[in-house]
Amino acid sequence: MIGETSYPVGVVISVDGDKTLIGTYDLVNDDEIIHNGQILYGPRLGACLTIRQNDVKLIAKITSEKIVDQQNTIKSNEFDNRYSKHSINRIISVTILGAIEDGTFAVTSSYSPMVGNETYITTQEELTAIYAIEPGADSITIGNALLERAPVLIPINAFFAGHIGIFGNTGSGKSNTLHALYYTLMQSKYAPGILKNSNLSVIDFNGEYKSNNIFGYSAAEVERYDVDTRSKQQVSQRVEVPEEYIINPDVLIMLFEARPGVQAPFLTKAIRKFEETQTSESFVNLTMGLLQRIVLTGNSIQDNALGDWSEVTEDCCGAECLSGLKQLQHNNTLNNSKSTFTGIPQYFNSGNQQLDDEQKNALNWNELEKRLRETYENRNIIRKLYMFLRYQRIYATAWNTTDPQYLGPLFSRIRTRLEALNKVVKITSRTNPETPVERRKPLTIYSFVHANQEIKRVLPMLIANMIYTEQKNEQSDKDKIDHTTHLIIDEAHNILSDVQRDDGDNWQSHRLDSFEEIIKEGRKFGFYLTIASQRPADISATILSQVHNYVIHRLVNDRDLRALENTMPTLDHSSLMTIPALGKGQAVLTGTAFPVPRFTKVFKIIEVAPSSADAILTDLWKPTPLSDTEQKPDETGNETLTDEKSSDDSEEC
């Protein structure tokens, strides 16, 4: 039955597909209506109306409205006295959101409006049913509804146990919303369990999340990595990354931007060989074997091969161990000398496959082996890799199998990027999948505000792969997820963009493939991704389509709006068109956790906030009071002198 609190406004006069027209009884245009002791919200764009069909209540959303003159049909471009209270009718266009049956709201197509159905203003009780979460579901309050002014609840399980997308133009409140979601969660009764059974990792490109108590975590619960490639000094703790995530052909081809023709095959072959060369003894045998082949086959190699070998060895081990090689280059007494004291190399062209003891002694062989072994053993794996690649370059070019000019630009990039990587990454030994991973602190923040572009492009992907693989290995053999990992990427367009740039094909494909696997498969292993971005249109459509819940702030670019429209089936067209008009901190919540889109004013966390506030220019530019001895302009704009100076002038006069 229709209760006393129901306020009739009109009747259905037309049903055309998903478009329904309602003719109103009176021209109701009040924002709020007090009816039988209850505050009702007047019918306006975006508000809800209830269409009654016996015991079923169809919930409709107002998408547009207009007036029709019932008494005068003459068309005119001007308003005149023909329009009066009793002359016009208000016509409201609505779309059906769902139905309330037995007190429960559901998105369904089982019912549709019919001409003659009476329409009422949706009551507070009905609004509660529309926006209600599942009975018994725990929730947090994130803000207040824009239209109904009621608290907006987010169901914890339906929202956080899925991938989240937060989008909005700069200054729209995106960073505050990202922080408020997890901060409010940490203020709930579940905080002790979150600290014990979940890990939060944040990729922060702009250095916004550096405040104490950020996300509601205490300082003892936070581990920070300030990835700094610009400082000449080691200013922060290096990020620990297992060896398998970096000593990988795909990753290094991407890092070094190796071209597919010559450079990528060279790197692939060299890195495979490096993985086989695990001990310093095997490295020394390989390197000294290269030297032996060079000095025994001098007529069949490029003239600079021996010089290149000597240069690399001198850089790595010092010049004192190369006395034998220098003598070989300038001594005429050795077998089949090829040159004089000109600096052009000489070789042992005796036809033997091995150097004899006399020849090895002439080259100071034992000292060379010792210094190479000591140098290699004392280097970390990044410096070992660079040393190994330099010798492999000599091997590849010495016998004309590879043109040296194709590898020159590659090695310039290898040197600079390995130097940058060595400053910010500590490579650990390969992980054993059967060994439990040592838990990180509950919150880990990786700041890239001081990192160069190469590290920004590569390291976040390595971190994401690392923590995803750890989570996957831990949970894959368990019947029930007992630990979760939540990865937050702010300004996600930096690494999730599918816009074609001059980054190299391998970088583009490997980067997107990695994150697409994470967002497609991560949920089943308890790995959840939260991405925030100013430009959703730049993010891979595959990644965007896998997001479960969205928080959309103000967006004005047509490409961004179309990208959201194509990937969010829960967002109706009228709600989409409202997004460009949202104010700061206002957002629409939609997705699997929300039966209908919810326009919300998100709470601003006053106690602690990201460092993303706008500069107050008037405070920066505020004039400071002049001292008594400074000159001041008078009211006419002419400079006057202080009292002291005026006194001196009067004396002179």
Side-chain angles (χ1 to χ4, degrees):
M1 295 180 62
I2 299 174
E4 293 182 354
T5 57
S6 299
Y7 188 101
V9 292
V11 64
V12 175
I13 60 173
S14 173
V15 179
D16 185 5
D18 61 348
K19 184 178 180 181
T20 300
L21 297 182
I22 298 171
T24 61
Y25 299 143
D26 296 304
L27 190 60
V28 180
N29 55 8
D30 293 324
D31 181 56
E32 292 182 351
I33 301 169
I34 299 178
H35 179 67
N36 289 337
Q38 180 179 202
I39 297 178
L40 304 178
Y41 300 104
R44 63 192 184 279
L45 191 66
C48 292
L49 293 177
T50 302
I51 301 174
R52 304 292 183 118
Q53 283 187 355
N54 297 326
D55 293 333
V56 177
K57 302 174 182 178
L58 300 182
I59 304 301
K61 180 179 180 180
I62 299 176
T63 58
S64 66
E65 57 178 322
K66 62 181 180 179
I67 59 172
V68 175
D69 191 339
Q70 299 291 352
Q71 297 181 6
N72 298 282
T73 59
I74 299 175
K75 303 297 182 181
S76 173
N77 293 328
E78 299 178 356
F79 290 105
D80 54 34
N81 293 329
R82 291 177 300 139
Y83 293 100
S84 63
K85 179 178 180 181
H86 302 291
S87 171
I88 61 174
N89 280 115
R90 182 186 188 187
I91 305 298
I92 297 175
S93 178
V94 300
T95 57
I96 303 302
L97 300 178
I100 297 177
E101 191 172 13
D102 298 328
T104 302
F105 175 80
V107 178
T108 177
S109 57
S110 300
Y111 306 97
S112 61
M114 294 180 287
V115 173
N117 288 153
E118 196 162 28
T119 306
Y120 301 82
I121 293 179
T122 304
T123 65
Q124 292 285 2
E125 181 182 357
E126 291 164 347
L127 288 173
T128 301
I130 295 170
Y131 298 119
I133 59 178
E134 294 183 5
D138 291 302
S139 63
I140 59 174
T141 304
I142 195 61
N144 290 322
L146 291 182
L147 297 178
E148 303 86 13
R149 287 84 165 178
V152 175
L153 303 180
I154 290 183
I156 293 176
N157 288 320
F159 188 81
F160 290 99
H163 306 306
I164 304 168
I166 304 172
F167 303 109
N169 293 147
T170 180
S172 63
K174 178 178 73 277
S175 296
N176 174 71
T177 296
L178 171 60
H179 177 255
L181 284 170
Y182 288 93
Y183 184 90
T184 306
L185 183 63
M186 283 299 297
Q187 304 309 305
S188 70
K189 64 181 180 180
Y190 296 102
I194 296 172
L195 294 174
K196 180 180 179 181
N197 298 317
S198 293
N199 284 92
L200 195 69
S201 297
V202 181
I203 305 294
D204 180 12
F205 284 102
N206 293 335
E208 295 183 11
Y209 304 98
K210 55 189 177 184
S211 303
N212 293 329
N213 201 33
I214 198 74
F215 293 106
Y217 290 78
S218 66
E221 297 158 351
V222 180
E223 187 168 12
R224 298 178 183 274
Y225 293 95
D226 185 9
V227 180
D228 189 347
T229 58
R230 300 173 184 174
S231 174
K232 295 181 179 180
Q233 304 295 327
Q234 186 66 43
V235 296
S236 62
Q237 181 183 4
R238 292 187 296 173
V239 180
E240 292 189 2
V241 180
E243 178 183 334
E244 60 264 32
Y245 296 105
I246 291 185
I247 309 304
N248 178 292
D250 292 333
V251 173
L252 293 178
I253 285 172
M254 173 189 63
L255 175 63
F256 302 144
E257 294 184 25
R259 301 298 182 258
V262 174
Q263 298 173 356
F266 163 77
L267 269 181
T268 300
K269 187 180 297 184
I271 294 165
R272 296 300 184 205
K273 193 71 176 176
F274 177 74
E275 291 175 329
E276 297 171 1
T277 311
Q278 294 295 327
T279 64
S280 58
E281 196 64 37
S282 60
F283 168 76
V284 169
N285 291 338
L286 195 67
T287 306
M288 296 303 291
L290 173 61
L291 174 62
Q292 178 174 255
R293 186 175 177 186
I294 290 174
V295 298
L296 286 175
T297 58
N299 288 335
S300 61
I301 64 170
Q302 294 186 13
D303 286 340
N304 62 344
L306 183 58
D308 290 343
W309 196 98
S310 302
E311 179 183 352
V312 174
T313 305
E314 183 174 354
D315 286 347
C316 298
C317 305
E320 58 273 14
C321 62
L322 298 175
S323 57
L325 283 177
K326 293 179 180 179
Q327 184 182 20
L328 176 63
Q329 290 182 334
H330 306 302
N331 193 337
N332 291 326
T333 62
L334 296 176
N335 296 335
N336 298 322
S337 295
K338 186 178 177 182
S339 66
T340 59
F341 195 71
T342 60
I344 300 175
Q346 303 178 32
Y347 304 96
F348 296 109
N349 292 323
S350 59
N352 296 329
Q353 298 297 318
Q354 300 282 338
L355 291 172
D356 57 33
D357 291 341
E358 180 182 356
Q359 293 166 332
K360 287 186 176 181
N361 289 334
L363 295 175
N364 200 13
W365 191 269
N366 291 336
E367 180 65 18
L368 272 173
E369 283 189 331
K370 177 182 176 183
R371 293 299 297 272
L372 281 169
R373 185 180 298 106
E374 290 176 350
T375 302
Y376 195 75
E377 287 177 347
N378 293 330
R379 293 193 166 205
N380 63 31
I381 192 167
I382 292 180
R383 297 192 179 279
K384 284 180 180 179
L385 175 63
Y386 182 51
M387 185 176 177
F388 182 86
L389 289 176
R390 295 183 71 183
Y391 284 111
Q392 284 298 298
R393 178 187 183 183
I394 300 170
Y395 176 80
T397 58
W399 287 273
N400 293 319
T401 56
T402 301
D403 192 333
Q405 68 176 341
Y406 294 124
L407 297 183
L410 172 65
F411 270 81
S412 297
R413 295 192 295 270
I414 289 176
R415 180 179 60 82
T416 57
R417 294 178 187 183
L418 282 183
E419 284 179 356
L421 196 66
N422 191 54
K423 291 183 66 174
V424 299
V425 169
K426 178 182 179 182
I427 301 181
T428 60
S429 58
R430 291 182 177 268
T431 57
N432 185 350
E434 298 180 358
T435 303
V437 177
E438 183 179 352
R439 286 270 184 259
R440 297 183 181 84
K441 288 188 177 181
L443 173 62
T444 306
I445 298 177
Y446 303 90
S447 174
F448 289 89
V449 67
H450 299 301
N452 60 26
Q453 289 300 318
E454 288 80 10
I455 295 301
K456 283 183 178 180
R457 288 163 48 194
V458 176
L459 191 52
M461 187 200 67
L462 298 179
I463 293 171
N465 280 339
M466 175 180 65
I467 60 179
Y468 169 66
T469 303
E470 291 174 357
Q471 178 71 20
K472 180 179 178 180
N473 290 340
E474 180 183 355
Q475 300 295 324
S476 57
D477 295 330
K478 296 182 179 179
D479 297 331
K480 184 179 180 181
I481 295 174
D482 59 7
H483 180 271
T484 64
T485 296
H486 305 259
L487 174 62
I488 298 174
I489 306 177
D490 198 6
E491 306 299 342
H493 51 269
N494 284 291
I495 53 174
L496 300 184
S497 172
D498 63 353
V499 177
Q500 293 293 333
R501 293 194 180 98
D502 187 21
D503 292 339
D505 293 337
N506 291 293
W507 157 245
Q508 182 97 0
S509 60
H510 189 79
R511 166 176 56 104
L512 293 179
D513 287 348
S514 297
F515 280 100
E516 286 175 4
E517 178 187 352
I518 288 174
I519 203 165
K520 288 177 181 177
E521 308 296 333
R523 189 177 186 183
K524 67 181 70 173
F525 303 114
F527 190 95
Y528 307 111
L529 190 64
T530 298
I531 58 177
S533 175
Q534 302 175 21
R535 296 304 311 273
D538 286 351
I539 294 178
S540 163
T542 301
I543 293 175
L544 205 59
S545 65
Q546 297 297 317
V547 172
H548 301 104
N549 292 292
Y550 298 82
V551 183
I552 313 299
H553 287 272
R554 183 173 184 263
L555 289 168
V556 297
N557 187 278
D558 287 341
R559 287 184 61 245
D560 294 326
L561 294 172
R562 286 197 300 270
L564 294 178
E565 186 178 25
N566 293 334
T567 56
M568 292 191 301
T570 56
L571 188 66
D572 60 275
H573 184 73
S574 63
S575 297
L576 183 73
M577 292 299 99
T578 308
I579 290 175
L582 291 173
K584 187 172 184 178
Q586 298 176 353
V588 55
L589 278 61
T590 184
T592 58
F594 309 99
V596 295
R598 194 81 190 269
F599 285 87
T600 306
K601 173 67 174 179
V602 180
F603 292 144
K604 185 173 180 61
I605 307 301
I606 303 299
E607 297 84 355
V608 58
S611 302
S612 59
D614 297 332
I616 303 176
L617 295 180
T618 52
D619 286 349
L620 297 177
W621 299 340
K622 184 185 301 181
T624 56
L626 298 176
S627 64
D628 291 339
T629 58
E630 292 180 304
Q631 294 182 346
K632 305 175 184 178
D634 62 15
E635 294 181 355
T636 63
N638 299 320
E639 290 188 348
T640 60
L641 302 178
T642 62
D643 293 339
E644 180 181 358
K645 183 66 177 174
S646 300
S647 147
D648 293 340
D649 287 346
S650 63
E651 289 179 0
E652 292 177 359
C653 293

